[in-house]
Amino acid sequence: QVQLVESGGGLVQAGGSLRLSCAASGRTFSSYFMSWFRQAPGKEREFVASINKSGSNTYYADSVKGRFAISRDNAKNTMYLQMNSLKPDDTAVYYCASRFTNWNSRRSDEYDYWGQGTQVTVSS
């Protein structure tokens, strides 16, 4: 079992920055491939970014490439999402997710564990 807890969401003006965190429980954090997804009202959950078990490889949706940066600290059992140059279209609930298979996936149904989500609201 893996428990994931997101934090760091909030209200920010367009052009601002936020840093999200995802804290994982247990001794096996480094055994999981991790991703961030987001979901806005009326829309499907969409892939944002992912990172492999060691942190050596990262992947980004085209919509956030160059603005967001994913990282992980396995010693702290924590994953991060640094979000810069935020836009109103970034407004969504952001979720962290994990999967045992160490291969990137953009599909939400291929992830095994999910956090509760944290709200990010970007004002105009």
Side-chain angles (χ1 to χ4, degrees):
Q1 295 290 329
V2 176
Q3 289 78 48
L4 305 173
V5 180
E6 302 96 334
S7 62
L11 176 65
V12 65
Q13 294 181 346
S17 298
L18 283 173
R19 183 178 176 88
L20 305 183
S21 298
C22 174
S25 65
R27 302 184 299 273
T28 60
F29 178 74
S30 62
S31 298
Y32 289 87
F33 187 93
M34 303 290 295
S35 290
W36 288 97
F37 287 79
R38 67 187 183 186
Q39 187 167 24
K43 295 185 178 180
E44 294 183 353
R45 190 168 299 183
E46 67 173 347
F47 171 81
V48 176
S50 61
I51 188 166
N52 71 338
K53 295 177 179 180
S54 68
S56 60
N57 294 321
T58 59
Y59 311 88
Y60 297 93
D62 289 341
S63 60
V64 306
K65 192 174 298 182
R67 299 189 298 121
F68 291 9
I70 189 171
S71 62
R72 68 191 294 165
D73 187 339
N74 287 342
K76 297 181 178 179
N77 289 355
T78 304
M79 178 180 66
Y80 305 96
L81 183 68
Q82 178 66 48
M83 304 184 295
N84 300 320
S85 301
L86 283 162
K87 306 174 181 179
D89 285 348
D90 295 320
T91 296
V93 177
Y94 283 71
Y95 299 89
C96 63
S98 66
R99 62 197 299 254
F100 181 76
T101 302
N102 197 29
W103 190 258
N104 180 50
S105 175
R106 305 167 81 93
R107 296 174 57 90
S108 61
D109 60 0
E110 295 185 351
Y111 286 78
D112 302 310
Y113 300 98
W114 294 84
Q116 82 290 339
T118 186
Q119 177 71 48
V120 172
T121 302
V122 184
S123 64
S124 302

